[in-house]
Amino acid sequence: MPSNPVLQLYNTLTKLVEPITPAAFIQDTPHLRFYSCGPTVYSYAHIGNFRSFLTADLILRTAQALGWKTTYVTNVTDVGHLTEDDLTDPSGEDRMVKALQSKEGERFANIWDLARYYTEVLLRDWDSLNLREPDVRPRATEHIRQQIEAVEQLLANGHAYETSQGIYFSVASFPDYGKLSGRGHDADALEAGAAAATREVVTDSEKRDPRDFALWKKDDAHLMQWYSPWGWGFPGWHIECSVMAKAYLGETIDLHAGGEDLIFPHHECEIAQAESLTGKPFARYWAHTRFLQVEGEKMSKSKGNFYTVRDLIAPEPEGRGIDPLAVRMALISGQYRKPFNFTFDNLKAAARHVQRLREVSALVAAAIEHDAPGDAFLAPRLDALYAKALAAMCDDLNTPDAIAAVLEGVKLLNGVGANLNGASARRAQTWLDQVNALLGVVAPEQSPSSHPDTTDDPFAEQVEALLAERAEARKAKDFARSDAIRDELDALGIEVMDTAEGAKWRRKLSI
Ligand code: AMP
Ligand code: ZN
């Protein structure tokens, strides 16, 4: 058995590609403690968001393929993310409130409803694109008490101060501020963008330094508010991640990930808060995903090149009915640190690759039934190709090389074709399982937590009967009947998904 390769990733903190060595062990096995920033649930997640989530998923899968234990935490931001927290839009509105007040938001009774709905959609998209479930998916609104306590501690140890509008972190109290991003070291030399990012909407003249950022906002008119030692209000965005990472992973975590826009200010601020609370390093390694572009341009609604996952995978007419695994394959086809251009041509190529994997899986499954001695040459060649794919992933997630090794394996298996049988088919099956565990592009991995058992549905029998009838109607090319059945299912609140494995169904999300 060849020894495992060493997992290496680019560390934004040191600007070096470094071997990742988890600090802790569970019975001699490395234990990776990993936190990745999740979405703000004010809208449907777009393919750019998922490019970043997929990077985290691939790191997790690679660590697990190496046999490591992992504790993976990724949050849901359901309060407090103001547009002023981002460099791109310093207008200062609350993302969730803005969404509720938009046309789209008219569907919701209130802000809690909006957060719940988009969280549920996120979980479904997560599942459809075959991302592994985190060990914990904490929500900011469920950790308000811990955030208040952290703010109290920062006030007590001199890293924060109160104004009439809120509690601010004092950047001057943390000399290491800027160590991740190289920005914001010096208040005088602060770039315009950095100033904008931490600027308050309603300029708070009591702020001591323009770099200081809000830990708590006093606001008894906000749509989401909690009682605190400073009256009614809500937490700043950055504090949730420092607090939840510490709660579930300990004071020093191994790895922290997110999209490149989070380096500054979000992650810089997370470090400042966490390290001021504990006096210990917050995260040993930082991994950031380069932004995705679409057809060579920044994705934006006004350019008409903005795609949510829903737009691509939802059945027509709501979406384009594209195979979710093809979307996954396309999104991981570029290395996470390189500029990535999503195009419909590369989506088509990805769909072809996924289709070839599916066909070869069927070939292998059929061949397993034929009990005959296998071809001795196949196993070592498949072993070598899996080793190549794993080594590529360990090389700073070189997904293009990993995918190339997998496609070489597909070619090899197709070459053996009809001669595939017995032991060699079983080895090929194991190879496909290994490849799927590593890249998640062969078949959906059903995780019980995220796939509620549809047989429990009160309409399950009726739905199954209608689906069988629909399949018959489609076979007989009676499309009027099959459409009518879809409408009937729709009225029952059932969504039908036509997949390569046949029609699947689930209950539609209620608003
Ligand atoms: P948000 O919901 O805005 O907090 O973003 C959730 C995650 O998606 C963060 O890690 C962002 O950095 C990431 N992200 C947002 N836009 C893109 C993009 N175009 N490409 C890659 N990652 C993105
Ligand atoms: Zn975060």
Side-chain angles (χ1 to χ4, degrees), residues 36-42 45-53 77 81 86 95 237 257-263 267 288-293 298-299:
S36 169
C37 289
T40 307
V41 283
Y42 65 99
H46 57 67
I47 53 176
N49 299 138
F50 265 90
R51 172 159 154 86
S52 287
F53 306 154
T77 298
H81 189 169
D86 303 308
R95 282 175 179 273
W237 172 38
E260 64 174 337
D261 61 322
L262 300 187
I263 300 174
H267 288 163
H288 291 101
T289 301
R290 192 83 177 258
F291 258 34
L292 161 146
Q293 296 199 318
K298 183 173 186 276
M299 195 165 61

Side-chain angles (χ1 to χ4, degrees), residues 24 138 150 354:
V354 167

Side-chain angles (χ1 to χ4, degrees), residues 28 30 36 45 49 94 166 181 192 208 221 251 281-282 321 336 376 385 426 438 463 478:
D28 294 338
S36 169
N49 299 138
D94 183 311
S181 63
R208 295 180 189 163
E251 293 185 333
F282 175 42
Y336 76 106
L385 286 171
R426 278 190 290 279
L438 186 62
V463 172
D478 182 355

Side-chain angles (χ1 to χ4, degrees), residues 130-186:
N130 221 8
L131 281 85
R132 288 199 167 158
E133 276 301 291
D135 296 280
V136 193
R137 195 191 293 275
R139 292 170 201 214
T141 52
E142 289 169 0
H143 296 77
I144 301 293
R145 174 62 27 210
Q146 292 94 323
Q147 294 180 70
I148 290 175
E149 282 166 13
V151 178
E152 283 182 303
Q153 280 173 39
L154 289 169
L155 277 169
N157 68 15
H159 285 286
Y161 60 93
E162 183 172 0
T163 73
S164 51
Q165 292 184 31
I167 314 293
Y168 292 93
F169 183 88
S170 163
V171 169
S173 77
F174 185 70
D176 272 352
Y177 191 78
K179 70 176 169 185
L180 181 72
S181 63
R183 310 175 76 154
H185 283 292
D186 174 359

Side-chain angles (χ1 to χ4, degrees), residues 37 241 266 270:
C37 289
C241 289
H266 185 54
E270 278 189 37

Side-chain angles (χ1 to χ4, degrees), residues 213-243:
F213 55 91
L215 297 168
W216 184 265
K217 298 241 180 193
K218 297 179 186 177
D219 188 349
D220 61 6
H222 195 264
L223 293 181
M224 291 171 139
Q225 50 172 293
W226 291 265
Y227 196 68
S228 76
W230 320 286
W232 291 97
F234 61 97
W237 172 38
H238 312 305
I239 192 73
E240 74 176 78
C241 289
S242 305
V243 164

